[in-house]
Amino acid sequence: MSSNKFPYDIRPIEESEQQILSKHFHERYKYIQIGPKNYFMISNYGNDAANIYNMPLRPDDIFVASFPRSGTTWTQELVWLLASDLDYSKAAQIPLQARYIFLEFSMFLSKELLEDVKKENVGKEEQLEILDYLAIPGSQLAAQSPSPRFLKTHLPMSLLPPNLLDSTKVVYVARDPRDVAVSFYFLNRLYKLTNYIGDFKSFWGFFVKDMVNWAPFFDHLKEAWQLRNHPNMLFLFYEELSKDLPSTVQRVANFLGKTITSEQLTTLCSHLSIENFKNNPSINQDELKTLGMLSEKESFIRKGKSGGWRDYFDEDMTREAQLWIDNNLQDTDMRFPTVQ
């Protein structure tokens, strides 16, 4: 289906593909594909797709956008602190999930799933408040939120408002797809919402076949890369954050029009260091863990390592990945920074 409000057709995936995915991921979800690039999403996204595409923007909005597991959370905390005059106490008091509107997250939280979670957590009304908040469609949350608004999305640029960069700042972060795939695999195991039960090699197969949420990976990145020279777009690589955090923080500060002293820069980089980040309860979605929605075996922030994919790829997968990357980079000058 398509309409004047939303220019792309939305269609269910093939039944054979749906059956395969239902054996590996949460069986409750149905999947759709959107537009000519076949962006892959949980079907509930279709309920808010047109509203997100047409949402009114404000000049002081700040978007953090990425394909999942590309350094989004790291970038969110960095952007929020710089834009909020380094208010660390407020950052500690309010979970990152509540400081940002995650535009499409409600697609995971159907009424049936919410009812199940609430039945399992009787007596935890205070903890369940965050879930009710996350279940509100992102466009509705955005409309009722005061300015300045901080918005997070994994949607590609083509599914966001077409006038987005006319007045709104966007920080987009990209990462080597092999590291993304490993991290995304662990996230899908971590979240009981997705409940992935296969091994990494099977997940990699879904990843390169564009059968994971928000895929295809390369189309997603290329859309943002083509806009990287727009004055309201800052395109970052995770590998830049990892290799030289101070310089990257300074770039973000300049983009947001914020002045930061060398002492403030040192403090912020310490706050953002992976070791401190892993132990920050405001970041790690502990509130969802208390509701049994995250596995106790995994943590939301993992190693934060560039090049860590080598620990998970066998020789065949390594060759396949390199060929896949080379083929997808043929028509673009985008290159991932090398990692030693």
Side-chain angles (χ1 to χ4, degrees), residues 188-214:
N188 277 274
R189 290 203 330 181
L190 169 71
Y191 269 102
K192 292 184 180 178
L193 289 171
T194 44
N195 200 35
Y196 180 71
I197 57 172
D199 59 13
F200 174 65
K201 196 162 191 174
S202 299
F203 186 85
W204 173 250
F206 292 128
F207 192 87
V208 295
K209 290 174 187 169
D210 302 328
M211 292 172 68
V212 296
N213 283 312
W214 298 284

Side-chain angles (χ1 to χ4, degrees), residues 128-194:
L128 285 165
E129 285 178 9
I130 186 70
L131 210 57
D132 288 327
Y133 171 81
L134 293 171
I136 300 170
S139 63
Q140 185 180 327
L141 265 182
Q144 65 192 40
S145 295
S147 295
R149 300 184 301 186
F150 294 85
L151 303 107
K152 165 191 174 177
T153 186
H154 294 313
L155 294 174
M157 297 298 291
S158 60
L159 299 185
L160 294 170
N163 61 334
L164 182 63
L165 292 177
D166 290 352
S167 62
T168 301
K169 289 192 179 296
V170 177
V171 179
Y172 186 97
V173 59
R175 187 183 190 185
D176 185 303
R178 294 163 294 195
D179 281 328
V180 168
V182 170
S183 188
F184 206 14
Y185 159 69
F186 280 105
L187 185 75
N188 277 274
R189 290 203 330 181
L190 169 71
Y191 269 102
K192 292 184 180 178
L193 289 171
T194 44

Side-chain angles (χ1 to χ4, degrees), residues 98-292:
R99 285 182 268 142
Y100 275 80
I101 300 158
F102 188 168
L103 274 179
E104 67 276 17
F105 190 79
S106 64
M107 71 180 180
F108 289 101
L109 297 173
S110 64
K111 288 180 181 177
E112 297 80 14
L113 193 144
L114 277 173
E115 286 171 6
D116 287 351
V117 174
K118 287 180 178 180
K119 284 177 187 174
E120 294 168 6
N121 290 278
V122 174
K124 294 184 180 177
E125 279 67 30
E126 191 174 335
Q127 291 93 324
L128 285 165
E129 285 178 9
I130 186 70
L131 210 57
D132 288 327
Y133 171 81
L134 293 171
I136 300 170
S139 63
Q140 185 180 327
L141 265 182
Q144 65 192 40
S145 295
S147 295
R149 300 184 301 186
F150 294 85
L151 303 107
K152 165 191 174 177
T153 186
H154 294 313
L155 294 174
M157 297 298 291
S158 60
L159 299 185
L160 294 170
N163 61 334
L164 182 63
L165 292 177
D166 290 352
S167 62
T168 301
K169 289 192 179 296
V170 177
V171 179
Y172 186 97
V173 59
R175 187 183 190 185
D176 185 303
R178 294 163 294 195
D179 281 328
V180 168
V182 170
S183 188
F184 206 14
Y185 159 69
F186 280 105
L187 185 75
N188 277 274
R189 290 203 330 181
L190 169 71
Y191 269 102
K192 292 184 180 178
L193 289 171
T194 44
N195 200 35
Y196 180 71
I197 57 172
D199 59 13
F200 174 65
K201 196 162 191 174
S202 299
F203 186 85
W204 173 250
F206 292 128
F207 192 87
V208 295
K209 290 174 187 169
D210 302 328
M211 292 172 68
V212 296
N213 283 312
W214 298 284
F217 175 84
F218 276 103
D219 282 317
H220 199 297
L221 269 62
K222 287 175 187 176
E223 286 189 13
W225 180 253
Q226 289 169 354
L227 297 165
R228 69 192 183 281
N229 294 321
H230 193 288
N232 281 333
M233 164 71 87
L234 179 63
F235 191 106
L236 301 175
F237 283 104
Y238 180 91
E239 292 78 8
E240 295 170 332
L241 281 158
S242 184
K243 189 175 182 179
D244 189 352
L245 184 57
S247 293
T248 312
V249 169
Q250 188 62 64
R251 281 180 64 198
V252 177
N254 294 344
F255 175 69
L256 297 175
K258 295 291 183 176
T259 302
I260 184 169
T261 67
S262 58
E263 185 178 342
Q264 289 172 328
L265 180 61
T266 301
T267 303
L268 181 53
C269 288
S270 174
H271 175 82
L272 294 169
S273 71
I274 289 298
E275 282 311 308
N276 286 334
F277 215 56
K278 284 166 70 172
N279 298 313
N280 186 338
S282 178
I283 302 299
N284 273 292
Q285 302 193 2
D286 290 359
E287 61 276 14
L288 294 185
K289 191 166 276 191
T290 62
L291 298 173

Side-chain angles (χ1 to χ4, degrees), residues 67-70 175-186 200 203-204 207-208 217-218 221 239 302 305-314 317-326 329 335-339:
F67 194 88
R69 306 311 280 177
S70 299
R175 187 183 190 185
D176 185 303
R178 294 163 294 195
D179 281 328
V180 168
V182 170
S183 188
F184 206 14
Y185 159 69
F186 280 105
F200 174 65
F203 186 85
W204 173 250
F207 192 87
V208 295
F217 175 84
F218 276 103
L221 269 62
E239 292 78 8
R302 291 182 60 252
K305 180 181 173 186
S306 292
W309 62 267
R310 294 180 178 87
D311 297 335
Y312 300 90
F313 280 64
D314 61 28
M317 293 168 71
T318 300
R319 281 193 296 270
E320 178 191 23
Q322 193 59 59
L323 184 63
W324 177 68
I325 291 169
D326 291 345
L329 292 180
R335 296 294 181 269
F336 299 99
T338 54
V339 178

